[in-house]
Amino acid sequence: MNLQLDGHTQLLCLLGHPVSHSISPKMHNESFSKLGLNMAYLAFDITPDNLKTALLGLKAQNFVGCNLTMPLKTAVLPMLDELSQAARLSQSVNTIVNKDGRLIGHTTDGIGYMDSLLDQDFHVIGENMTILGAGGAATSIVTEAALQGVKKIYMMKRKNKTFQEAVDFAAKITQETSCQVIVLDQNDHDALRSAIEDSRLLTNATNVGMEDDKNSLVPPEFLRKDLLVSDIIYHPEMTTLLKDAKAANARYMNGKYMLLFQGAASFRLWTGYDMPVDYIKETCFS
Ligand code: NAP
């Protein structure tokens, strides 16, 4: 990487807590360096309590924009001047663009996910999908999948106190797009089996399978050869769900390129340029 910083260098950053482990600074700075853009991307540890002050400071020095990660993606909503359609529908913002002092909120998690599917030749437009979970990542993915033309989405969610929120979200997406979104109880195995049977793609967007968790929410016998299986977790690279998919001779992918392509979508919003993704795969993801 060869960043040449000077008095004209423009600032971008990641805000969140924690942020020190993030790959985003490397990914964006490698891209600026490769394309010869006079920009720099830093990571700032910011909590919801000091987010407003942080944004005022960034605005005062005319920053280009920023990414937001946990726990700021919804906390930031009232601090923005405008929201993209996907950010409004998913009520989640991971990217801010500073447009002449107006802060525009976008969500690129869903775009990143859909682009990562295409990158692996997973084609789902006009098809049905089943997604496990209804948290921040799941709602961003469902929103973008619906906007891009996935036909029907089964959201499998635990029947707890946030179940009705998921049902309301599904109703909103069904009303505002041409996609039908149905929320079902994750523990109802007959419903899960039928949803997967009716789907081209199965996506895990829960925390189940992360780090040392060897669990999978899907019995291996529900998987089949012509099902596309995706886990948005990337630590570990192979979750139990993906191992089961491999054993069933299904095509599968983990979440590392979702991370890459959400960054690429933010990069495009800020700079107007395409991120050099092949170069970033080599330098940051191999
Ligand atoms: P989140 O908002 O906290 O949502 C977590 C979801 O997982 C919720 O729907 C939750 O269910 C469900 N869940 C958690 N534990 C469960 C369990 N034991 N059984 C069933 N469901 C369970 O988190 P998030 O931001 O959406 O992130 C979810 C996962 O995606 C994390 O592993 C994260 O690392 C990963 N992720 C990857 C990327 C990427 O770029 N690849 C981006 C974002 C997130 P309830 O709704 O019932 O609480």
Side-chain angles (χ1 to χ4, degrees):
M1 191 183 332
N2 183 24
L3 280 183
Q4 301 286 343
L5 307 184
D6 60 22
H8 299 282
T9 304
Q10 294 180 292
L11 177 67
L12 295 109
C13 56
L14 170 67
L15 307 180
H17 175 79
V19 288
S20 55
H21 65 285
S22 172
I23 197 170
S24 293
K26 183 165 169 57
M27 193 161 81
H28 288 290
N29 288 323
E30 289 283 7
S31 301
F32 298 148
S33 171
K34 180 81 175 164
L35 299 185
L37 299 175
N38 193 354
M39 294 176 163
Y41 185 111
L42 300 177
F44 298 129
D45 202 304
I46 301 291
T47 61
D49 290 343
N50 53 18
L51 178 58
K52 201 168 179 182
T53 314
L55 286 177
L56 279 174
L58 288 166
K59 224 169 129 170
Q61 65 82 53
N62 202 22
F63 77 133
V64 175
C66 65
N67 281 134
L68 297 134
T69 187
M70 280 197 324
L72 306 180
K73 289 182 184 185
T74 48
V76 76
L77 290 169
M79 301 169 198
L80 301 172
D81 298 300
E82 212 178 293
L83 292 177
S84 70
Q85 185 187 21
R88 177 179 58 78
L89 287 171
S90 61
Q91 287 292 292
S92 171
V93 165
N94 80 333
T95 304
I96 295 177
V97 177
N98 178 14
K99 200 173 167 195
D100 306 322
R102 285 175 58 74
L103 301 187
I104 321 293
H106 298 262
T107 174
T108 65
D109 285 329
I111 297 170
Y113 180 72
M114 296 303 286
D115 285 350
S116 73
L117 290 180
L118 272 185
D119 183 66
Q120 298 298 305
D121 278 330
F122 281 25
H123 297 280
V124 294
I125 303 308
E127 309 258 14
N128 300 342
M129 70 183 273
T130 296
I131 189 162
L132 308 168
T139 49
S140 295
I141 290 171
V142 167
T143 301
E144 190 60 33
L147 288 171
Q148 289 195 19
V150 168
K151 195 165 139 201
K152 192 193 279 185
I153 302 174
Y154 300 98
M155 286 185 91
M156 308 303 304
K157 149 114 182 81
R158 289 185 290 196
K159 209 152 194 184
N160 54 14
K161 62 180 181 346
T162 53
F163 194 82
Q164 188 55 42
E165 265 173 45
V167 171
D168 294 343
F169 164 77
K172 186 172 61 173
I173 300 295
T174 301
Q175 196 182 349
E176 294 206 25
T177 70
S178 54
C179 175
Q180 186 189 7
V181 184
I182 299 163
V183 184
L184 297 167
D185 179 1
Q186 206 169 76
N187 294 318
D188 178 345
H189 273 200
D190 289 338
L192 178 61
R193 185 194 289 108
S194 305
I196 293 173
E197 270 171 14
D198 193 36
S199 295
R200 178 81 178 105
L201 172 69
L202 168 67
T203 305
N204 177 40
T206 72
N207 304 328
V208 177
M210 251 177 108
E211 311 288 348
D212 296 328
D213 182 354
K214 300 274 188 291
N215 291 307
S216 164
L217 294 169
V218 182
E221 62 273 20
F222 289 8
L223 305 176
R224 59 179 197 274
K225 192 169 176 244
D226 69 341
L227 182 71
L228 303 171
V229 182
S230 142
D231 202 321
I232 70 167
I233 290 171
Y234 47 90
H235 278 305
E237 289 212 359
M238 285 296 280
T239 57
T240 298
L241 173 65
L242 295 188
K243 286 179 187 164
D244 291 343
K246 186 177 181 188
N249 289 318
R251 288 170 61 209
Y252 58 89
M253 60 180 261
N254 70 17
K256 73 178 177 181
Y257 289 156
M258 172 177 172
L259 189 64
L260 165 63
F261 282 101
Q262 62 77 30
S266 300
F267 189 89
R268 204 177 306 119
L269 286 169
W270 295 321
T271 68
Y273 292 101
D274 285 337
M275 181 179 267
V277 287
D278 290 337
Y279 176 72
I280 296 303
K281 277 182 183 174
E282 265 169 48
T283 50
C284 305
F285 287 88
S286 57

